[in-house]
């Protein structure tokens, strides 16, 4: 659970394996939201996150690419990962 993968690799390193020229990555994680609408709504409202980082990531015009994956999570039932990237 969290941004590093089980091997300890950070989001930037993972995205670089698919986009070698990537310079910046934003990663949003969502747990327990069962529909795409719920995931996006929760990330945009970003309640309980003082800096509203998830909202800022999703609305940042500097990000050029997005990747989304959702799957089973042993504690929360479902988890979604939203990776945003820019090559500037």
């Amino acid at each position: 659970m969290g941004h590093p993968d089980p091997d300890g690799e950070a989001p930037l390193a993972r995205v670089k394996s698919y986009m070698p020229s990537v310079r910046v990555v934003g990663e949003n994680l969502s747990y327990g939201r069962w529909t795409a609408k719920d995931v996006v709504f929760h990330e945009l409202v970003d309640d309980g996150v003082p800096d509203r980082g998830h909202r800022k990531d999703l609305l940042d015009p500097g990000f050029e690419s997005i990747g989304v994956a959702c799957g089973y999570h042993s504690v929360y039932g479902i988890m979604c990962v939203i990776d945003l990237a820019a090559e500037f």
Side-chain angles (χ1 to χ4, degrees), residues 6-82:
D7 296 327
E9 192 171 50
L12 179 60
R14 286 194 306 274
V15 173
K16 272 191 171 288
S17 68
Y18 298 98
M19 295 174 64
S21 60
V22 72
R23 296 287 175 245
V24 65
V25 170
E27 182 171 80
N28 291 4
L29 305 176
S30 175
Y31 300 92
R33 309 286 176 209
W34 287 92
T35 68
K37 181 179 176 180
D38 286 344
V39 169
V40 173
F41 182 79
H42 184 257
E43 297 288 303
L44 287 173
V45 171
D46 218 6
D47 191 31
V49 180
D51 71 355
R52 301 290 193 244
H54 302 107
R55 177 189 303 171
K56 289 176 184 176
D57 279 352
L58 290 179
L59 299 177
D60 186 335
F63 286 121
E64 304 163 325
S65 301
I66 186 169
V68 179
C70 298
Y72 174 76
H73 190 277
S74 62
V75 175
Y76 298 100
I78 192 166
M79 173 187 172
C80 290
V81 178
I82 302 169

